[in-house]
Amino acid sequence: VGEQLRGTLPYMAPEQIDEQTSDKRSDLYSLGVMVYVMLTGHYPYQGLDIKIIVQIATVEAMPPTIANPELPQNIDDVLLRALHKDPAQRYESCGDFVAALDKAAKAYMQNNTQYAKAMELVEQQDWRAALA
């Protein structure tokens, strides 16, 4: 690691720490960290500066559903792709990232609505309709 890192450490992409060239995918990584924090209340990596540097460079991020079990499972794939160590494996653009988040949120909302309807039917003891 060089003598000076530029940026806010928890939001820095691995390639910024390794002093490789950074580009829009580095910014996408930072956006992924921001969304991760908003949804979980935690950074993907914890600890003091050197520990965070090592984790960003070498360890995969903790799945967001471990940090916040109330999140839908499909959010893991979306956020972990945005936080991928290899910039080429991240989304091509912020628009693609936002579209993936939107799709995950809509799937969660649809499943949540179906669950709420099923619970209403269970309370009404309409078992067959609830199972459907």
Side-chain angles (χ1 to χ4, degrees), residues 50-114:
I50 192 67
K51 186 175 180 183
I52 291 176
I53 290 170
V54 170
Q55 289 177 23
I56 290 171
T58 64
V59 178
E60 294 303 319
M62 177 180 16
T65 55
I66 291 175
N68 180 358
E70 293 181 16
L71 291 173
Q73 290 295 316
N74 59 352
I75 202 70
D76 282 349
D77 291 339
V78 174
L79 282 179
L80 294 178
R81 181 172 174 194
L83 299 175
H84 202 284
K85 299 277 180 234
D86 179 1
Q89 297 300 314
R90 295 182 200 140
Y91 294 96
E92 286 293 317
S93 69
C94 287
D96 291 345
F97 179 42
V98 169
L101 282 172
D102 184 56
K103 183 177 176 181
K106 285 179 179 173
Y108 174 71
M109 296 298 284
Q110 181 180 7
N111 290 339
N112 212 18
T113 301
Q114 290 172 342

Side-chain angles (χ1 to χ4, degrees), residues 11-90:
Y11 296 92
M12 292 180 74
E15 61 273 15
Q16 291 173 297
I17 290 173
D18 291 340
E19 299 184 68
Q20 298 173 12
T21 303
S22 60
D23 59 17
K24 67 180 181 178
R25 293 170 298 186
S26 302
D27 293 336
L28 197 134
Y29 180 95
S30 299
L31 178 61
V33 172
M34 190 181 323
V35 172
Y36 187 104
V37 172
M38 289 171 49
L39 294 176
T40 67
H42 303 281
Y43 288 106
Y45 303 105
Q46 304 291 315
L48 300 175
D49 291 352
I50 192 67
K51 186 175 180 183
I52 291 176
I53 290 170
V54 170
Q55 289 177 23
I56 290 171
T58 64
V59 178
E60 294 303 319
M62 177 180 16
T65 55
I66 291 175
N68 180 358
E70 293 181 16
L71 291 173
Q73 290 295 316
N74 59 352
I75 202 70
D76 282 349
D77 291 339
V78 174
L79 282 179
L80 294 178
R81 181 172 174 194
L83 299 175
H84 202 284
K85 299 277 180 234
D86 179 1
Q89 297 300 314
R90 295 182 200 140

